[in-house]
């Protein structure tokens, strides 16, 4: 029987367990807080930000909502980030990407104080992750690591294949899997758009993480019998539904399920984990900034 890994359930258990750390902070008079900064009128970005704020409210993290006119000068965004960096009541800062074209996303990531960079995208935090001394693991790959652990799958010595090399998913994912640490120690291959004979690589994988953003590109024929398949992809495809579309992953679920030992669905797999791990990082940030040694799940 193939195990369907329930991301909603694993995310809920992480949120429940975070309550312990939040109580420990409360005993020291600290309420963790996350500032979300939105410089966009894209409805999808607005939805993401409001979901993150709702998630915060649910677990007792204060959410601070900063909105900047997308037509404003880039300096307005930098000034807002500076204010948040200097505000000791703010533990985490998340700038919702993408920012408008006239703003450099690279510069924005550098502007956030690395100690408040709960996305883990500041170069200092990227460097720490690569060096095996992560401060904040990026939310999506960290969530994937937690899903693999929850499925009872051993990464040590496993052949892991990551499809995708983006800075937010593929690269940090590979870095986590390769570390000499729990949830790592995998022999890790990174595939990307220039990889030759992708199927030959994915068929080697005991653990396959798909993060290419190409709808259903990985089918059962590309999967090793019994593999653990984690589908990060979230792709909108036209469909005869009320909204006119449906969400599918990078994995063709029905054929993949026949081969995999364990597999995540889309939706309900990695997505909820990304959201839960942002809360995790925010609570961790509050502990670090206030010198409270919190127990994290
Ligand atoms: P991206 O476009 O930045 O990167 C995609 C990567 O896939 C690139 O490195 C590219 O080289 C590789 N790629 C593209 N086509 C390929 C092919 N045919 N064969 C092999 N490799 C190929 O995307 P991203 O930001 O890393 O996101 C990837 C997917 O994950 C998207 O569907 C995105 O929506 C989704 N995503 C989901 C979550 C979540 O919480 N579940 C979070 C972030 C991203």
């Amino acid at each position: 029987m193939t195990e369907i890994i329930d991301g909603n359930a694993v995310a809920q258990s992480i949120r429940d367990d975070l309550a312990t750390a939040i109580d420990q902070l409360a005993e020291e008079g600290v309420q963790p807080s996350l500032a979300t900064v939105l410089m966009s009128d894209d409805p999808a970005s607005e939805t993401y930000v409001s979901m993150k704020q709702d998630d915060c409210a649910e677990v007792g993290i204060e959410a601070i909502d900063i909105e900047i006119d997308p037509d404003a000068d880039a300096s307005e965004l930098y000034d807002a980030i500076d204010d948040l960096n200097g505000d000791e009541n703010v533990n985490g800062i998340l700038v919702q990407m993408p920012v408008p074209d006239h703003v450099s996303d690279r510069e924005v990531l550098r502007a956030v104080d690395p100690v408040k960079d709960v996305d883990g995208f500041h170069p200092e935090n990227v460097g720490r992750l690569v060096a095996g001394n992560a401060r904040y693991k990026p939310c999506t790959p960290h969530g994937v690591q937690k899903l693999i652990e929850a499925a009872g799958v051993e990464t040590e010595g496993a052949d892991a294949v990551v499809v995708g090399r983006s800075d937010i998913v593929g690269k940090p994912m590979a870095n986590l899997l390769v570390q000499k640490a729990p949830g790592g120690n995998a022999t890790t291959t990174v595939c990307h758009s220039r990889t030759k004979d992708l199927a030959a690589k994915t068929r080697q994988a005991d653990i396959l993480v798909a993060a290419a953003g190409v709808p259903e590109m990985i089918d059962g024929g590309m999967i090793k019998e019994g593999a653990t398949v984690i589908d990060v992809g979230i792709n909108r495809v036209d469909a005869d539904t009320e909204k006119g579309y449906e969400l599918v992953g990078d994995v063709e679920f029905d054929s993949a399920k026949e081969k995999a030992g364990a597999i995540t669905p889309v939706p309900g797999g990695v997505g909820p984990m990304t959201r839960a791990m942002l809360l995790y990082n925010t609570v961790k940030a509050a502990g670090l900034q206030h010198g409270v040694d919190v127990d994290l799940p």
Side-chain angles (χ1 to χ4, degrees):
M1 271 293 284
T2 306
E3 181 188 353
I4 311 296
I5 306 171
D6 183 347
N8 285 313
V10 181
Q12 185 58 49
S13 85
I14 287 178
R15 282 198 296 268
D16 292 345
D17 291 347
L18 276 176
T20 309
I22 291 171
D23 287 347
Q24 289 169 324
L25 288 164
E27 278 166 26
E28 303 297 326
V30 177
Q31 187 192 18
S33 73
L34 173 72
T36 56
V37 184
L38 177 66
M39 188 177 189
S40 167
D41 47 20
D42 169 43
S45 290
E46 287 169 352
T47 304
Y48 290 142
V49 166
S50 81
M51 285 187 332
K52 288 166 188 174
Q53 289 171 348
D54 292 349
D55 289 345
C56 285
E58 196 193 311
V59 298
I61 294 173
E62 185 191 359
I64 298 160
D65 178 21
I66 309 284
E67 289 183 21
I68 309 221
D69 184 335
D71 295 324
D73 194 78
S75 61
E76 258 192 57
L77 176 60
Y78 293 123
D79 288 347
I81 294 172
D82 272 352
D83 288 347
L84 295 168
N85 284 341
D87 184 342
E88 63 179 29
N89 292 318
V90 173
N91 303 124
I93 302 171
L94 179 143
V95 182
Q96 183 65 42
M97 295 290 165
V99 287
D101 289 344
H102 66 281
V103 182
S104 154
D105 48 3
R106 191 163 283 213
E107 287 307 312
V108 170
L109 297 182
R110 284 174 186 273
V112 175
D113 180 343
V115 179
K116 298 190 177 186
D117 166 41
V118 285
D119 262 336
F121 296 153
H122 187 286
E124 180 180 313
N125 288 323
V126 175
R128 289 181 65 131
L129 176 78
V130 174
N133 179 29
R135 181 189 275 135
Y136 305 119
K137 296 181 185 178
C139 301
T140 300
H142 193 188
V144 171
Q145 214 177 22
K146 292 282 186 194
L147 286 175
I148 295 170
E149 185 190 337
V153 172
E154 184 53 76
T155 54
E156 182 168 326
D159 286 321
V161 173
V162 179
V163 183
R165 58 174 163 189
S166 73
D167 292 341
I168 61 166
V169 190
K171 280 187 214 160
M173 184 75 251
N175 272 311
L176 288 176
L177 286 166
V178 90
Q179 290 302 328
K180 194 171 182 179
N185 286 312
T187 305
T188 305
T189 304
V190 182
C191 298
H192 47 75
S193 51
R194 309 287 172 90
T195 295
K196 283 190 234 158
D197 198 356
L198 180 68
K201 313 284 189 299
T202 58
R203 273 191 225 111
Q204 301 287 323
D206 302 312
I207 297 170
L208 177 61
V209 181
V214 181
E216 299 182 322
M217 66 174 284
I218 291 169
D219 63 19
M222 297 170 72
I223 292 171
K224 181 177 180 176
E225 192 77 46
T228 301
V229 179
I230 310 286
D231 190 354
V232 180
I234 303 179
N235 309 292
R236 270 189 190 193
V237 293
D238 293 341
D240 194 12
T241 62
E242 204 176 298
K243 289 179 175 162
Y245 67 86
E246 62 178 355
L247 295 180
V248 300
D250 289 354
V251 175
E252 193 188 82
F253 186 79
D254 290 340
S255 65
K257 185 165 62 91
E258 299 303 313
K259 292 289 277 297
I263 186 168
T264 59
V266 176
V270 177
M273 293 302 293
T274 298
R275 292 168 60 180
M277 300 327 286
L278 176 64
L279 304 175
Y280 176 109
N281 279 350
T282 303
V283 172
K284 183 172 188 185
L288 288 175
Q289 287 157 42
H290 290 276
V292 184
D293 191 13
V294 290
D295 295 321
L296 289 162

